[in-house]
Amino acid sequence: MSRHHGISYDGLKYALNIKESYQSGEPLTVMGAAKQPRLLMPEHLLSNDLALMQYDDPLALAVIATRDPESPMALAAAIRMGPHAKCKELITGVFEVVSDATKHELVADCAKLLTKNAFSPEAFHLVRTRASNHVVEIREAYRRAMAGNLRALLDGKMAAREFVEEFIELASNGNLRIDIYRRLVMKLMRSDAVRPSVKFMLLERLDRFPQMVKLQIVNEVNSAPETPEYQTLKQELRWIYDAKQKQQNPQASTKTTVSHPSAADLMSRSQIDFGAAAGMHRRNSVIKPAEPSLNRYAANPPIMRSGGFSSRELSSWLN
């Protein structure tokens, strides 16, 4: 198979691997600093300055553009595929198939606009700007929803379990940058205004957090002062670790581990999937920022009686 036409055996292999990742719910990752895997984000695909290895292959990008359930990722992949379609006639045909096969109307519109304008620089500039704005809009919508849920939790209007489930879903679906995601979780874990039950539930769902967030949670709990609350959280973390060890080796001794597991232990010795990105590929197809379900508790009470948070303080949690 000739690379001259824009298609290669390696490209087919990459495309099949990405398709399998979507089918299994595994997140797409890129190699970051120190050869550590990091989540593939829309910004990576939209950047002309990043070499993304297999994600620069047109067939791999075509799979993302048609299979990703989240519109920002699919749109970014289609735009990155555009230059390949401009240069190779066969890839132009594949690109037209993508515009028909994608589940996202915005992706189809942008692909057709590029094709209609012969992949001109002006057309690329227009769709890149639209894609960047779309990513910001989606994230802002989810941040507003998370802020509303936090207010409801502190006011006693939302159950702890419901808050945790929606927090994970919103953080995942909103394509939050990993540093923002980590900061939000850490503020929840450290806050005296958040009930311990919420923190326990966050630990229970450790497998659903991105790798860097998991490590931060483990380190935060292990290094915390020996207060009654944190002693209980450490016991919970140790229980989770022991349960994972038993899953890995059912014949192992049932003797209780005395020392606290380290972050390195949880990575190397347990079966916690540190590549899973909080259900990154279990998303809604198109998220509209104004959709009511994303902002269930839109009212902004002047001062929260539970914990004494003001609206300004609450918004600072999400900035």
Side-chain angles (χ1 to χ4, degrees), residues 41 64 67 155 168 178 224 277 312:
M41 304 293 282
I64 299 174
R67 303 278 302 202
D155 279 348
I168 294 173
I178 198 68
R312 179 175 300 177

Side-chain angles (χ1 to χ4, degrees), residues 210-235:
Q211 179 183 11
M212 294 177 67
V213 178
K214 293 177 186 177
L215 293 176
Q216 187 75 18
I217 292 174
V218 173
N219 288 328
E220 175 75 16
V221 173
N222 278 342
S223 61
E226 295 296 329
T227 62
E229 178 183 337
Y230 272 106
Q231 285 180 345
T232 308
L233 289 174
K234 290 178 183 181
Q235 291 175 357

Side-chain angles (χ1 to χ4, degrees), residues 26-284:
E26 292 294 320
L28 303 182
T29 60
V30 293
M31 201 60 67
K35 295 186 177 180
Q36 292 294 322
R38 303 189 65 177
L39 299 180
L40 180 68
M41 304 293 282
E43 291 90 342
H44 297 153
L45 295 172
L46 290 173
S47 174
N48 291 323
D49 299 324
L50 294 178
L52 298 180
M53 306 301 287
Q54 69 267 29
Y55 299 117
D56 278 322
D57 187 273
L59 289 184
L61 293 169
V63 173
I64 299 174
T66 55
R67 303 278 302 202
D68 200 288
E70 187 65 22
S71 56
M73 282 288 290
L75 179 59
I79 293 173
R80 194 175 186 93
M81 184 183 173
H84 297 282
K86 178 181 180 180
C87 299
K88 304 289 184 180
E89 184 176 354
L90 180 57
I91 304 302
T92 302
V94 175
F95 192 74
E96 292 175 354
V97 172
V98 167
S99 68
D100 293 330
T102 183
K103 62 184 71 176
H104 306 290
E105 183 178 354
L106 181 59
V107 176
D109 290 344
C110 288
K112 290 175 182 177
L113 186 148
L114 287 174
T115 303
K116 182 178 179 180
N117 289 276
F119 303 97
S120 67
E122 294 79 12
F124 271 114
H125 176 73
L126 181 63
V127 295
R128 283 181 184 278
T129 301
R130 181 66 188 94
S132 297
N133 291 339
H134 184 59
V135 172
V136 172
E137 290 167 3
I138 294 296
R139 285 181 175 153
E140 181 59 29
Y142 280 107
R143 278 199 284 263
R144 287 197 302 268
M146 293 169 76
N149 284 355
L150 178 58
R151 295 185 190 102
L153 176 73
L154 296 177
D155 279 348
K157 299 177 181 178
M158 191 176 197
R161 186 172 300 278
E162 183 183 7
F163 171 82
V164 171
E165 290 296 336
E166 291 201 9
F167 176 85
I168 294 173
E169 289 299 318
L170 290 168
S172 169
N173 295 348
N175 254 321
L176 290 182
R177 294 202 320 268
I178 198 68
D179 56 328
I180 296 176
Y181 196 154
R182 184 174 57 207
R183 190 163 67 243
L184 289 175
V185 174
M186 286 304 98
K187 288 188 175 183
L188 287 173
M189 295 294 293
R190 295 169 184 166
S191 174
D192 294 334
V194 175
R195 298 197 303 273
S197 60
V198 174
K199 301 173 186 180
F200 283 123
M201 291 176 191
L202 288 172
L203 291 181
E204 288 175 1
R205 287 150 181 78
L206 202 61
D207 282 340
R208 297 185 62 188
F209 290 102
Q211 179 183 11
M212 294 177 67
V213 178
K214 293 177 186 177
L215 293 176
Q216 187 75 18
I217 292 174
V218 173
N219 288 328
E220 175 75 16
V221 173
N222 278 342
S223 61
E226 295 296 329
T227 62
E229 178 183 337
Y230 272 106
Q231 285 180 345
T232 308
L233 289 174
K234 290 178 183 181
Q235 291 175 357
E236 177 71 14
L237 184 62
R238 184 167 60 245
W239 185 91
I240 294 171
Y241 171 73
D242 289 340
K244 290 294 179 182
Q245 287 294 88
K246 292 176 182 177
Q247 290 178 9
Q248 182 177 2
N249 185 7
Q251 305 301 324
S253 171
T254 57
K255 182 179 179 180
T256 302
T257 304
V258 175
S259 59
H260 300 307
S262 65
D265 287 335
L266 284 171
M267 286 192 67
S268 62
R269 297 172 57 192
S270 76
Q271 285 188 333
I272 292 179
D273 180 6
F274 282 88
M280 182 178 178
H281 300 303
R282 297 193 300 273
R283 301 167 175 164
N284 298 325

